[in-house]
Amino acid sequence: MGNIKTMVNSTVPYFILSTYINVGSLKYLFFVLIALLYFSIVFVNTSLIVVICVNRSLHEPMYMFLCSLFVNELYGSAGLFPFLLLQILSDVHTVSAPLCFLQIFCLYTYGHVEFCNLAVMSYDRYLAVCYPLHYKSHMTDNKVVIFIVVIWLYSFVKFTITLCLTLRLTCAPLQLCGNIINKVYCDNYSIVKLACSDTTVNNIYGLISTPLAILCPVSLILYTYMRILKICFSGSKQTRQKAVSTCTPHLASLLNFSFGCFFEILQSRFNMNSVPSMLRIFLSLYFLTCQPVFNPLMYGLTLSKISLTCKKLLCADM
């Protein structure tokens, strides 16, 4: 299977995902485990979205941004898990070109929305900690809606341009020289590397858009946390406690997601053949599988308003 390739200047009807390992009957065990993980992700994220929406006491900017974050976890998971479950049970690991590009769009926009959402949440925490008296006037309901709409719209438009540039490489006469992707899911950069034609336009756009997509949110996050730390060191004990309680889950989520993205970028750009296959698969899936579980558990357990509301609902049901 590893030697199957399309001829130069021929249309690629499907891609082959070469990283899948033949594990025999163990595939059924992996299927059950991944299905349980997906069910858990859907359940906890949906539950918290419902809790935030139905409780008026949680209709605050921080919880609205959290709601957007949880919706994004469901969106990203829907782009990966059903596909992954089908591939685990299949003996031939191929995917049609349209479905492959659809998955690429879902996963990349998920990552961008996640990062931007976390950046806006850091700005929200900065206003809450540094300007508590003016917080409500700075972060109004209208501004929250605008922030959320801009995050999603900007991410979709930005990656639509990237995807159009990649699709251009697959159309005549600029077609692909191969159809093997060394991943367990479809990846934009892997397809660009298969191009027979010149990819200068893709590379230039990538060199401009990628740093902007990373530097803008990172700059905002670094600035806000530097200001929060300054307030913590110079403020009262109560201010420090408030900052720690509200910023800890956000910082943990940010570090967890950044860790996963770092390894994914590392694998995409460098030869990782010396790394064991199972470890490579785990690291490539880390930011797509762990973040959707990590976020709802972290915020649900550490934010007192959410945890108390969940406990009241559970007690009411009992």
Side-chain angles (χ1 to χ4, degrees), residues 17 20 72-84 99-115 155-156 159 163 183-188 257 261 264 284-285 287-289 292:
L17 303 169
Y20 283 92
N72 191 46
E73 306 304 354
L74 292 175
Y75 168 67
S77 299
L80 175 71
F81 281 93
F83 173 85
L84 201 59
L99 185 59
C100 191
F101 286 116
L102 178 62
Q103 185 181 51
I104 288 170
F105 182 83
C106 287
L107 298 185
Y108 275 74
T109 49
Y110 158 75
H112 199 272
V113 169
E114 189 85 2
F115 205 25
S155 300
F156 275 60
F159 192 72
L163 194 62
K183 287 281 187 71
V184 293
Y185 57 86
C186 293
D187 172 62
N188 185 66
F257 186 68
C261 288
E264 173 54 19
S284 69
L285 290 171
F287 82 104
L288 295 168
T289 55

Side-chain angles (χ1 to χ4, degrees), residues 218-234:
V218 166
S219 300
L220 178 61
I221 290 164
L222 288 176
Y223 172 78
T224 54
Y225 270 98
M226 283 174 64
R227 295 296 303 271
I228 289 169
L229 283 172
K230 185 179 178 181
I231 291 291
C232 286
F233 285 122
S234 60

Side-chain angles (χ1 to χ4, degrees), residues 70-302:
F70 297 147
V71 169
N72 191 46
E73 306 304 354
L74 292 175
Y75 168 67
S77 299
L80 175 71
F81 281 93
F83 173 85
L84 201 59
L85 290 168
L86 287 173
Q87 290 294 328
I88 288 170
L89 291 181
S90 177
D91 294 322
V92 180
H93 305 295
T94 61
V95 55
S96 66
L99 185 59
C100 191
F101 286 116
L102 178 62
Q103 185 181 51
I104 288 170
F105 182 83
C106 287
L107 298 185
Y108 275 74
T109 49
Y110 158 75
H112 199 272
V113 169
E114 189 85 2
F115 205 25
C116 289
N117 210 124
L118 289 170
V120 171
M121 286 172 70
S122 71
Y123 175 68
D124 174 69
R125 291 301 83 208
Y126 156 70
L127 291 178
V129 174
C130 299
Y131 303 99
L133 299 178
H134 305 285
Y135 174 69
K136 288 188 177 180
S137 61
H138 284 308
M139 192 60 75
T140 61
D141 291 343
N142 287 337
K143 284 183 180 178
V144 171
V145 172
I146 290 169
F147 273 126
I148 292 172
V149 170
V150 168
I151 287 168
W152 284 83
L153 193 61
Y154 168 63
S155 300
F156 275 60
V157 170
K158 180 185 175 297
F159 192 72
T160 298
I161 298 170
T162 304
L163 194 62
C164 287
L165 290 173
T166 304
L167 286 168
R168 179 185 62 92
L169 300 174
T170 67
C171 300
L174 305 174
Q175 292 160 338
L176 305 180
C177 292
N179 66 340
I180 297 177
I181 298 174
N182 297 317
K183 287 281 187 71
V184 293
Y185 57 86
C186 293
D187 172 62
N188 185 66
Y189 187 63
S190 297
I191 293 176
V192 171
K193 287 193 292 186
L194 294 172
C196 304
S197 54
D198 184 29
T199 59
T200 302
V201 176
N202 297 68
N203 293 333
I204 290 172
Y205 180 74
L207 287 171
I208 295 170
S209 65
T210 304
L212 283 175
I214 295 171
L215 287 175
C216 291
V218 166
S219 300
L220 178 61
I221 290 164
L222 288 176
Y223 172 78
T224 54
Y225 270 98
M226 283 174 64
R227 295 296 303 271
I228 289 169
L229 283 172
K230 185 179 178 181
I231 291 291
C232 286
F233 285 122
S234 60
S236 63
K237 185 180 179 180
Q238 187 180 0
T239 303
R240 285 196 295 272
Q241 286 176 341
K242 181 184 177 182
V244 170
S245 65
T246 59
C247 294
T248 298
H250 175 265
L251 195 56
S253 176
L254 182 65
L255 291 173
N256 183 64
F257 186 68
S258 300
F259 171 81
C261 288
F262 171 76
F263 278 106
E264 173 54 19
I265 293 168
L266 204 65
Q267 285 196 93
S268 298
R269 302 290 170 171
F270 300 100
N271 187 353
M272 302 287 284
N273 291 332
S274 58
V275 179
S277 297
M278 288 300 290
L279 181 60
R280 271 188 289 144
I281 292 170
F282 172 76
L283 291 175
S284 69
L285 290 171
Y286 182 85
F287 82 104
L288 295 168
T289 55
C290 292
Q291 189 75 358
V293 178
F294 184 85
N295 274 343
L297 290 179
M298 174 60 68
Y299 286 105
L301 294 172
T302 56

